[in-house]
Amino acid sequence: MRVLLTAALVLSLTPGAPAGRDGLEWTVAAGPVAARIALDQGRLAFGVDGVLPAAPIGVRTTAADLTGGLSFVSRSDRTVRERYTMTTGKRLARDTTLRESTFSFTGDGGARLDLVVRVSAEGAAYRYVLPDAGPVTVTGETSSYAIPADAPAWLLPYSPNYEEPWTRTTAGAAPAGDYGFPALFRIGDTYAMLAESDVDGRYAGSRLTHAGGGTYAIELADPSVSATGPLSTPWRVAVVGDLATVTESTLTDDLAPPSKIKDTSWVRPGLVAWSWLSEHASPADPVRQRQYIYFAARNGWPYVLIDEGWNASWVPETVRYARARGVDVLLWLHWTALDTPQERETMLPLLKSWGVAGLKIDFMDSDSQERFRWYDEILPATAALRLMVNFHGATTPRGMQRTWPHVLTQEAVRGAEQFRTRAATNTIFPFTRNVTGGMDYTPVTWVVADRDTTDAHEVALSVVYESGWQHLADRFENYETRPEALRTLNQIPVVWDDTRLLSGEPGRSTVLARRSGDRWWVAGISATPAEDATAGLGFLPGGRWLAETLRDGDHGLVRESRIVRRGDTLTVPMAANGGFVTALCPYTGSATCDRPVVPVPATTLTVDPPAAEAQPGATVDVEATFTLPAGGPITDVRLAPAAGGTPVTAARLRGGESLSGSWRLTVPAGAIGDVDLPIVATYRWRGETVHVERAVRVFVPPPAPATDAWVSDLPFLGESNGYGPVERDRSNGEAAAGDGNPLTLRGTAHPKGLGMHAPAEVTVWLGAACTSFTALTGVDDEVTSSGSVTFEVLGDGRPLAATGVLRSTDPAHPLTADVTGVRRLTLRVTDAGDGKNFDHADWAAARVICG
């Protein structure tokens, strides 16, 4: 809810703000923060009293230079009260008051410029508004900040994925170059964190550029940005105050547009089991993914992320396996798989139909206006389908999680996946990157051998770092061999009702207190020699509290308990580069704060027939039985076809009871290949809805080839590829369809064939109408390093022919197979057992003789 209190128009200086001899000055104040705006000889400057000296600001367009020659016209003031609720973050319920002033100017050729300034107790921000209608092209800003040269600085050398190492320097000594947001400076006893908010496809992202001294200027990602006016640029934000004010600030969210999603009940933060970091090949292994799912179900983790390498042939059934156990599946995608309207309109509904709960979208790697326009397209498309999102290889948070609450987290950090963890860097993030929004660091990783952190430090990261999806990144066996760590992880929330910095200094230590419901969590990490960490407990309500602490001991992790009260001091011995986690709950006589982890009860769903063959538009009679073998009870049970049909229901099922139904299902018109007709049982368990699904697999045969045919001209019944899609009449290329080169083997280009990247396969329908298959096989000439593959031909699952290992230097290898009587022809490529790098495999002139 936004409450706007508009004050009378002010046409003069703010009372108490004296005019300089050569110009005008105004202040906009809220609590301890006062922004100062100056107009001197037609040029604007902005600063924050006592922290940031006034520095030049302004904007240039192709129509007017509004960095000078400005004349003051008017000022108006209002108070903006922001009350809103987040789905993620350091504080779910937000209530902030901002003082806003709009200063209107005229400049070059009578062009208008409004400067909008907002100030709260946490800091100050400004934006430009070009109020004229019609097209506008911005060619740059003179926006800048003046920082005392000797001010300590924590800076991130700029890269478009924000994954460079942070540096500790001073404002003046920092090397000339570009730095990413946010940037932190200590000016006397006050901190200033520079950031930006409300960036979308109307504009471009920006960065700080430093040429020398203490001046840091804003530089856009593009030479120019174009939009339709009126145009409001992003907010230039300075969070100022003591370190607690900066760390706890929500100013970048407060300045962002309100949520565009009315119903956020489907947005569900939580812990995620993720296998890619600890075992890169595992996302391609459905058996291994089911083991992670089983682990997540046993420990109450609501998600498993299946990263790069998954295959459409097994993901739907894996999703069904997970959902029946109360676990939802997240899938990784390269952003180019969703960079066109056609791809989004095809891929997103398909993933939703599989039951996928959310997406990790990767490798955007740009702050350009074009890329922000892509964000503008993917965000409403995913929200409409209720698909949650994690942006990896992405820009840093700029208020997006307020506007689009289904964005659970963003990477924009040099996280654990870099396989080099340093305690000193870890203690910088809470005061910089994580201030502005969810940070997908992927913590708690013992598999990272190159680290100087202790076990307790690793566990504490799951509290110290805020992320709506907390991807715990080690293999699950490593958690099971550390039962005290796993016990703590199973209890930790990922969203918070309150956050308070208790102590810390960037690069040395952090101790945070976070509240979820009636429980507090205090966690600390250090980059110092062994010492005691102390935390005042003045934030606790009255009464007695049980404090359970997990910390480093002499021989591994140890757990300690004590009774505390408000005002006590918690003292925890911390090892060098160590950490701790303390759970605090109202003391009721229990020896632990732990809440029981109760897995979803095992159920069964059978369908008859499990498989069938039919033509498009035909019907299939299906019977289904849903059973709770033991345990329960479960409530609000419903059994029905996913595509619609009269459900059968039961208010309650107890152990040993079943629910059955029968339906006549119709095969979709136009279907080809394997089509699933799912039957779904849902029920309520401990306040959550559990989804159990089984499908009748119906094979819909396409027309068999009537004459000889190129394989690349036949419809695919199924395909998988090691990178990007299988290409028709092109080499493998990159992630997008159709981006390959001509199929070329040893200098000869071939107009027809298939381009694959091992491991890969394609299945086509022959319908027993063909007699032979021929192709020239080999590694495409585009490969610059040695690749090695094998080619295999299968008929109805039976091996028919193979090449053995072929390498980049081998000549093209003719491959033939007798396919008499074969209904399904499968062409498969493997990586020859040495990994898939450079394995671009061509089936040149692949052809079947039919008729």
Side-chain angles (χ1 to χ4, degrees), residues 421 426 443-446 451 453-462:
T421 302
N426 286 356
V444 197
T445 50
W446 291 285
R451 65 182 177 94
T453 58
T454 68
D455 284 1
H457 184 119
E458 290 296 315
V459 177
L461 295 180
S462 63

Side-chain angles (χ1 to χ4, degrees), residues 47 667 723:
V667 179
Y723 185 74

Side-chain angles (χ1 to χ4, degrees), residues 109-134:
R112 292 179 56 199
L113 172 67
D114 289 348
L115 178 69
V116 184
V117 178
R118 284 187 177 179
V119 179
S120 77
E122 296 177 1
Y126 67 90
R127 74 187 325 169
Y128 309 109
V129 176
L130 302 172
D132 293 334

Side-chain angles (χ1 to χ4, degrees), residues 257-284:
S259 171
K260 295 181 182 290
I261 303 174
K262 292 183 178 179
D263 176 15
T264 60
S265 60
W266 53 277
V267 179
R268 186 185 177 206
L271 290 179
V272 186
W274 178 51
S275 66
W276 178 89
L277 185 143
S278 59
E279 36 186 333
H280 281 5
S282 62

